[in-house]
């Protein structure tokens, strides 16, 4: 293996990227794992917020709708980097204030949990709009049919509305997931050791900037390609029962 | 036997064989009053055809029975049980409404099958998840029902791959799967190509012969005459005339009904 890389003139790069020290490959992969952990958590949290947000916007009272409008507008208006700084520092400050007021000590905020919360709140605003649009695209007659047979509203949501809206929501949610994987890089500004920060540290200590940022780029690309495969399967499943559009050009 | 009366129904005792009773039903959309006091009673086994021009309120009346539209005022009594209403006409007791709705199966103009589920899944959906019938039992019955409407070989097909007539027959199978005490048909053939109307009417005719209680909003006058034992003519939100089909179609009394029939029959 080593001889193969040497032959290509990449011997030193391979050494730098090797998984065990003195190589930095292990650090990069740990960073990637952290990035994915946060992206998955934030995407999941965003979906939950988005589902409640969409239902609130569509079926809620006036106060609920106004509050949600403020939420989605503000979150989508402010640059994500600024939001992350605000939510992270304000969030930790508030938690500490509460903790001290209750007579406790200052708490150490877990980086992964903080990252998930911060990005999840951002994702939730976008997911709210994606899911609201998807629910509105479900033919109202299908929901009426369920109600006319005495199906309770929560069950109608679970059994009819959500499965029926999935085909409309999947492309938007796939975008949102890819944005989530890349937004984790913004958490580097609050000192969280995800892939981008690990890469910067590795590059800074070895001066091999090109090698490490290329490697990080390749890792992000692999994540995107694998995500594409997964979402293609999900979309295939969500569109079951709908004829292909290929014949209808 | 059928009892229909405009105003004296309020005093009528509730009989055991009564399937649906509507009393003095009003419905407004904003300032537009669509139903202006409709009263109607259907006994078990009755087939009531509701006819009338566009905008006469016939679909709205049918949709008020299961509260897909919220009545503005009036009373709805299903099999002797009155649907509890708030002063604004909305159902007061969600649980009660849902229980009553499971006894009333609706067939829609646009079929409204669940497109992400196969025909079999459409038919077993309500029995399994709402009525909590064991899955195996529901599936066996669903196959029988699909056979009954001539779709025995389409159980695993998704609705989008079927003709309108086939979809509507599947929707009827879905309605039958809850073993309803009354069926509500909202213009079941209006969205169909002419050559597909017959197959759906044949299925409905079979149900009438079985003695199913049905309220049928329709534009198919010949069919209404043939299957119904009572015909109601709605005009601008009121019952203008009603009676046995022979009388309504051969000897209409009101000028408006005469005019309506001469234009469509």
């Amino acid at each position: 293996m080593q001889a193969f890389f040497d032959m290509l003139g990449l011997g030193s790069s391979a050494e730098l990227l090797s998984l065990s020290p003195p190589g930095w490959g292990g650090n990069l992969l740990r960073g990637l794992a952290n990035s994915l952990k946060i992206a998955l958590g934030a995407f999941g949290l965003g979906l939950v917020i988005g589902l409640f947000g969409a239902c609130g916007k569509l079926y809620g009272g006036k106060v609920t709708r106004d509050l949600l409008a403020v939420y989605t507008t503000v979150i989508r208006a402010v640059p994500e980097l600024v939001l992350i700084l605000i939510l992270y520092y304000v969030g930790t400050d508030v938690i500490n204030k509460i903790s001290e007021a209750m007579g406790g000590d200052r708490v150490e905020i877990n980086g992964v949990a903080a990252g998930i919360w911060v990005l999840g709140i951002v994702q939730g605003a976008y997911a709210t709009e994606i899911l609201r649009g998807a629910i509105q695209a479900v033919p109202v007659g299908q929901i009426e049919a369920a109600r006319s047979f005495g199906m309770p509203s929560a069950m109608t949501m679970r059994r009819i509305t959500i499965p029926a809206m999935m085909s409309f929501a999947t492309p938007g949610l796939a975008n949102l997931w890819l944005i989530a994987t890349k937004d984790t890089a913004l958490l580097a500004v609050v000192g969280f050791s995800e892939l981008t920060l690990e890469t910067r540290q590795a590059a800074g200590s070895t001066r091999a900037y090109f090698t490490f940022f290329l490697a990080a780029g390749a890792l992000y690309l692999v994540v995107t390609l694998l995500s594409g495969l997964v979402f293609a399967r999900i979309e295939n499943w969500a569109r079951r029962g709908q004829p292909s559009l290929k014949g209808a050009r | 036997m059928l009892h229909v009366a405009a105003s004296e129904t309020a005093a009528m005792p509730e009989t055991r064989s009564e399937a649906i009773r509507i009393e003095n039903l009003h419905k407004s959309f904003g300032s537009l009053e669509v139903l202006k006091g409709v009263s109607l009673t259907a006994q078990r086994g009755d087939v009531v055809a509701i006819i009338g021009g566009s905008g006469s309120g016939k679909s709205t009346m049918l949709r008020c029975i299961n509260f897909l539209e919220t009545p503005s005022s009036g009373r709805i009594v299903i099999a002797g049980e009155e649907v509890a209403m708030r002063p604004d006409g909305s159902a007061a007791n969600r649980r009660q409404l849902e229980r009553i709705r499971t006894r009333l199966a609706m067939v829609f103009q646009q079929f409204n099958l669940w497109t992400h589920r196969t025909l079999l899944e459409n038919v077993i959906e309500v029995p399994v998840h709402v009525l909590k019938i064991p899955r195996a039992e529901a599936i066996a019955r669903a196959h029988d029902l699909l056979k009954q409407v001539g779709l025995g070989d389409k159980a695993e097909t998704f609705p989008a791959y079927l003709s309108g007539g086939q979809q509507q027959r599947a929707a009827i199978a879905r309605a039958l799967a809850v073993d309803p005490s009354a069926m509500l048909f909202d213009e079941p053939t209006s969205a169909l190509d002419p050559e597909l109307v017959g197959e759906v009417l044949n299925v409905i005719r079979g149900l009438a012969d079985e003695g199913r209680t049905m309220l049928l909003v329709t534009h198919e006058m010949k069919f209404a005459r043939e299957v119904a034992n009572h015909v109601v003519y709605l005009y601008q939100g009121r019952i203008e005339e009603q009676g046995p089909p022979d009388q309504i179609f051969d000897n209409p009394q009101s000028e408006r009904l005469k005019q309506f029939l001469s234009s469509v029959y």
Side-chain angles (χ1 to χ4, degrees):
Chain A
M1 198 68 174
Q2 187 66 43
F4 174 72
F5 284 119
D6 282 337
M7 198 175 69
L8 291 171
L10 293 172
S12 62
S13 295
E15 227 165 80
L16 284 170
L17 289 170
S18 85
L19 292 182
S20 51
W24 293 77
N27 291 35
L28 256 56
L29 287 184
R30 263 195 300 282
L32 177 68
N34 275 333
S35 286
L36 288 179
K37 228 185 282 174
I38 292 176
L40 269 176
F43 184 67
L45 180 62
L47 277 185
V48 172
I49 295 176
L51 195 58
F52 281 102
C55 290
K57 275 199 166 188
L58 289 171
Y59 310 119
K62 193 163 164 31
V63 178
T64 313
R65 287 204 309 267
D66 285 351
L67 285 174
L68 286 166
V70 170
Y71 165 62
T72 51
T73 308
V74 168
I75 296 289
R76 291 186 301 162
V78 180
E80 272 151 51
L81 187 58
V82 178
L83 269 178
I84 285 165
L85 290 170
I86 294 175
L87 288 174
Y88 184 81
Y89 288 115
V90 173
T92 48
D93 208 40
V94 165
I95 290 172
N96 277 319
K97 285 263 162 58
I98 293 173
S99 166
E100 278 168 14
M102 287 165 62
D105 296 325
R106 286 189 71 83
V107 277
E108 195 62 44
I109 306 290
N110 176 314
V112 173
I116 286 174
W117 274 103
V118 171
L119 283 187
I121 288 169
V122 175
Q123 292 258 311
Y126 292 91
T128 296
E129 292 303 305
I130 291 172
L131 296 179
R132 185 178 64 87
I135 290 175
Q136 277 180 321
V138 176
V140 72
Q142 293 193 28
I143 297 166
E144 247 180 17
R147 307 292 290 147
S148 80
F149 282 106
M151 198 181 273
S153 46
M155 190 191 283
T156 304
M157 185 46 87
R158 185 166 50 84
R159 300 280 317 162
I160 306 297
T161 313
I162 290 179
M165 74 158 192
M166 278 303 288
S167 66
F168 304 113
T170 315
L173 292 179
N175 275 342
L176 204 55
W177 159 252
L178 291 179
I179 291 170
T181 59
K182 268 152 279 249
D183 272 4
T184 54
L186 295 173
L187 291 169
V189 297
V190 293
F192 180 68
S193 57
E194 44 62 65
L195 178 54
T196 298
L197 189 62
E198 291 285 358
T199 308
R200 219 162 60 192
Q201 283 169 348
S205 345
T206 59
R207 305 271 156 198
Y209 290 99
F210 191 70
T211 306
F212 282 109
F213 280 103
L214 210 60
L219 287 176
Y220 281 120
L221 183 63
V222 167
V223 169
T224 303
L225 291 174
L226 291 178
S227 302
L229 291 178
V230 171
F231 272 99
R233 292 194 69 150
I234 293 176
E235 192 166 341
N236 213 15
W237 166 80
R239 282 186 55 81
R240 70 198 181 284
Q242 297 180 36
S244 158
L245 290 175
K246 275 191 189 135
R249 262 180 292 216
Chain B
M1 194 43 212
L2 185 106
H3 296 280
V4 192
S7 55
E8 66 267 31
T9 37
M12 216 178 64
E14 285 169 6
T15 55
R16 265 188 54 221
S17 60
E18 184 184 87
I20 295 175
R21 176 148 52 94
I22 306 167
E23 281 178 21
N24 200 22
L25 182 66
H26 288 256
K27 171 65 185 176
S28 301
F29 292 102
S31 59
L32 178 71
E33 196 176 18
V34 180
L35 295 175
K36 301 166 182 164
V38 175
S39 299
L40 183 91
T41 304
Q43 302 294 333
R44 206 157 287 173
D46 276 343
V47 178
V48 180
I50 299 149
I51 61 172
S54 165
S56 59
K58 49 195 192 315
S59 278
T60 305
M61 188 198 88
L62 202 69
R63 289 166 59 86
C64 278
I65 294 174
N66 61 6
F67 281 67
L68 281 186
E69 296 299 350
T70 306
S72 299
S73 66
R75 291 178 73 199
I76 306 284
V77 185
I78 308 297
E81 183 177 358
E82 180 171 355
V83 182
M85 277 164 73
R86 294 208 185 90
D88 66 355
S90 62
N93 183 337
R94 195 175 45 81
R95 284 259 170 94
Q96 184 211 24
L97 177 63
E98 279 161 4
R99 181 164 44 76
I100 286 175
R101 275 173 167 171
T102 62
R103 312 294 304 137
L104 295 171
M106 193 157 199
V107 176
F108 297 84
Q109 183 176 352
Q110 299 294 341
F111 334 129
N112 293 349
L113 291 170
W114 297 305
T115 50
H116 56 286
R117 299 192 190 285
T118 63
L119 292 198
L120 183 73
E121 288 168 341
N122 265 279
V123 176
I124 66 169
E125 178 69 25
V126 178
V128 170
H129 294 279
V130 180
L131 303 176
K132 313 289 183 202
I133 291 170
R135 197 179 174 84
E137 197 181 305
I139 289 175
R141 181 157 158 68
H143 280 297
D144 289 345
L145 288 169
L146 286 171
K147 234 171 265 158
Q148 185 185 337
V149 299
L151 294 169
D153 56 338
K154 301 283 188 197
E156 302 304 326
T157 309
F158 285 98
Y161 296 92
L162 299 175
S163 73
Q166 288 172 321
Q167 288 192 47
Q168 193 61 297
R169 284 186 278 142
I172 293 172
R174 175 176 71 174
L176 289 170
V178 304
D179 194 18
S181 48
M183 298 179 79
L184 310 173
F185 288 85
D186 187 5
E187 305 195 27
T189 58
S190 297
L192 298 177
D193 291 339
E195 79 268 23
L196 301 177
V197 168
E199 61 189 59
V200 172
L201 293 184
N202 281 337
V203 170
I204 301 176
R205 189 180 290 118
L207 299 178
D209 293 343
E210 276 179 16
R212 295 235 173 229
T213 311
M214 304 196 281
L215 263 62
L216 177 70
V217 171
T218 186
H219 291 292
E220 302 285 333
M221 296 301 152
K222 281 203 187 92
F223 182 69
R225 175 173 195 161
E226 180 196 332
V227 299
N229 63 342
H230 193 81
V231 179
V232 174
Y233 172 62
L234 274 181
Y235 179 81
Q236 294 193 348
R238 287 197 178 85
I239 294 182
E240 174 89 7
E241 188 169 339
Q242 58 183 315
D246 289 346
Q247 181 198 314
I248 290 288
F249 289 106
D250 293 338
N251 190 19
Q253 302 298 305
S254 105
E255 273 311 309
R256 286 167 185 148
L257 176 55
K258 279 180 199 165
Q259 241 172 24
F260 175 71
L261 289 175
S262 70
S263 67
V264 298
Y265 182 50

